[in-house]
């Protein structure tokens, strides 16, 4: 499939919930480029985040475009309508050139038997033994196994295809990047299931450039990966083998690659990602979720004064609204309420003590992942402060920008894409 807007080999999705850190995020990509690897920034903000903060989709493009112009960035960059569905596309059509189509709610809804049978008839190559290069173990399948996979995913694929066609009708085919998100489901996909998804997307004429599968383990917000590292690496290799097969056999775009969602702070996975990219030569998109907001909060804490007072107030309020804050993120956080310090204790903390609890340094004895996850989902409390919060961000701008650039470059971009050398 041809597409005029092709995504670069390496890209990183960066969240900027309050639209203040695009220059600092772009600076991290500039440092990566200076080190020898181009990683394209993709600014993303979900529909839920816009609703919570009260922002509009075009504000993301405006902030990104201003940063690009100020920095003289002459490489590609994109704005992602993150986790959108067909019924909420309209506000994003004019300002986004990247669409992450979220079909999680449809996964598992059974496709009609005739639809499944048509898929089986169209894809006899998926029956029997599939021994793809780099696959950890060959795929063994029969009509019943393939039929179950098709029944489970074809309706979700059809929904993604309908959304794609709506965007293409408004913007024109080939003028935007399509990502399909299959990760927000309870069960990890198998290599066969990913093959079915990609084959069906190709059948439907969707020029998918990134696919976000559900990996093994837990990808909790803002903290490290929880799971079997060996199992993740094997699955990663399997998925990459499937993507290569799909590109070759189903006429999908040459730029098709994996997308790792909730990729922020998954430090234990980064060496695996780096050596796998070097070994296979494949591309990668990593979505960093919302840790920029936590760097902003760290900057306010370390600046002391009114910023520190606000952080203390936000923690007190977060404890009071714990259930409300956590409910929308229940599947991607793991907070032990017994490990959350009382509000009056946090109010006595020094800036240094508070920052040590929040900053993601698993080796620091005072780091508290439960407090960090609570703040991660508590950004709506800062949003409710409106101009008061934004004014404090502006007052601490220089320090916050340093933190944001350092976090994105040193702790994400460099270990994933540079490691100990260039590729």
């Amino acid at each position: 499939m041809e597409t005029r807007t092709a995504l670069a080999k390496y890209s990183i999705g960066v969240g900027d919930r309050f639209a203040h850190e695009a220059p600092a995020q772009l600076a991290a990509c500039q440092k990566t480029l200076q080190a020898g690897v181009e990683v394209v920034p993709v600014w993303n903000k979900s529909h839920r985040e816009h609703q919570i903060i009260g922002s509009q989709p075009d504000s993301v493009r405006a902030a990104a475009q201003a940063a690009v112009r100020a920095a003289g960035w002459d490489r590609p960059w994109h704005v992602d309508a993150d986790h959108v569905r067909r019924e909420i596309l309209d506000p994003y059509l004019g300002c986004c050139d990247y669409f992450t189509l979220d079909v999680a709610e449809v996964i598992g809804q059974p496709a009609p038997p005739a639809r499944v049978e048509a898929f089986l008839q169209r894809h006899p190559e998926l029956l029997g033994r599939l021994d793809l290069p780099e696959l950890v173990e060959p795929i063994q399948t029969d009509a019943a196994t393939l039929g179950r996979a098709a029944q489970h995913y074809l309706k979700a694929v059809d929904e993604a295809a309908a959304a794609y066609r709506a965007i293409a009708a408004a913007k024109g085919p080939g003028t935007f990047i399509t990502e399909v998100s299959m990760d927000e489901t309870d069960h990890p996909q198998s290599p066969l299931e990913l093959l079915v998804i990609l084959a069906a997307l190709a059948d439907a004429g969707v020029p998918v450039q990134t696919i976000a599968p559900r990996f093994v383990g837990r990808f909790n917000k803002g903290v490290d990966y929880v799971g079997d590292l060996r199992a993740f690496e094997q699955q990663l290799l399997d998925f990459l083998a499937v993507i290569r097969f799909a590109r070759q056999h189903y006429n999908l775009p040459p730029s098709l690659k994996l997308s790792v969602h909730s990729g922020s702070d998954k430090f234990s996975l980064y060496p695996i990602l780096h050596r796998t990219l070097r070994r296979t030569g494949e591309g990668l998109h990593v979505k960093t979720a919302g840790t920029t907001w936590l760097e902003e909060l760290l900057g306010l804490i370390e600046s002391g004064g009114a910023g520190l007072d606000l952080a203390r107030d936000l923690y007190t309020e977060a404890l009071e609204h714990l259930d409300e804050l956590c409910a929308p993120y229940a599947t991607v956080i793991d907070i032990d309420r017994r490990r959350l310090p009382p509000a009056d204790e946090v109010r006595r903390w020094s800036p240094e003590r508070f920052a040590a609890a929040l900053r993601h340094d698993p080796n620091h004895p005072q780091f508290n992942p439960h407090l960090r996850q609570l703040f991660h989902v508590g950004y709506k409390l800062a949003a409710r402060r409106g101009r008061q919060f934004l004014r404090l961000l502006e007052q601490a701008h220089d320090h916050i920008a340093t933190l944001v650039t350092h976090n994105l470059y040193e702790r994400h971009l460099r270990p994933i894409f540079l490691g100990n050398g260039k590729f």
Side-chain angles (χ1 to χ4, degrees), residues 20-81:
H20 275 58
E21 313 309 332
Q25 293 168 327
L26 185 58
C29 292
Q30 289 177 302
K31 293 183 70 170
T32 311
L33 183 61
Q34 291 164 3
V37 177
E38 179 187 82
V39 182
V40 168
V42 180
W43 279 277
N44 59 68
K45 192 170 183 179
S46 71
H47 189 69
R48 175 168 58 188
E49 289 168 354
H50 280 299
Q51 289 181 310
I52 288 172
I53 290 173
S55 55
Q56 297 299 319
D58 57 3
S59 65
V60 181
R61 173 162 290 277
Q65 192 166 53
V68 165
R69 288 174 176 170
W73 178 259
D74 60 357
R75 303 299 177 109
W77 58 280
H78 305 283
V79 176
D80 178 10

Side-chain angles (χ1 to χ4, degrees), residues 171-299:
K171 297 181 71 69
T175 62
F176 58 95
I177 294 160
T178 303
E179 173 168 325
V180 176
S181 169
M182 294 277 184
D183 66 306
E184 293 197 358
T185 184
D186 292 335
H187 302 290
Q189 278 95 40
S190 68
L192 175 63
E193 289 171 327
L194 184 58
L195 260 176
V196 167
I197 291 165
L198 290 172
L201 286 168
D203 292 347
V206 179
V208 57
Q209 294 195 53
T210 63
I211 183 81
R214 169 72 157 84
F215 287 92
V216 295
R218 285 185 65 92
F219 286 73
N220 291 331
K221 296 289 187 180
V223 292
D224 205 353
Y225 174 78
V226 179
D228 184 330
L229 295 178
R230 182 182 298 179
F232 172 84
E233 186 164 12
Q234 290 180 343
Q235 189 184 36
L236 178 65
L237 288 168
D238 283 344
F239 284 167
L240 292 175
V242 165
I243 281 180
R244 281 193 296 276
F245 180 89
R247 283 199 304 255
Q248 295 165 4
H249 289 80
Y250 301 134
N251 192 32
L252 288 168
S255 50
L256 172 63
K257 60 183 179 178
L258 274 182
S259 179
V260 179
H261 280 200
S262 296
S264 59
D265 292 37
K266 303 301 177 283
F267 301 141
S268 61
L269 297 185
Y270 295 168
I272 296 172
L273 294 175
H274 177 73
R275 66 174 173 261
T276 301
L277 296 182
R278 293 195 61 171
R279 170 180 169 179
T280 64
E282 289 291 326
L284 184 71
H285 180 66
V286 180
K287 191 165 289 188
T288 64
T291 53
T292 291
W293 137 247
L294 296 180
E295 295 302 311
E296 290 175 327
L297 191 60
L298 276 167

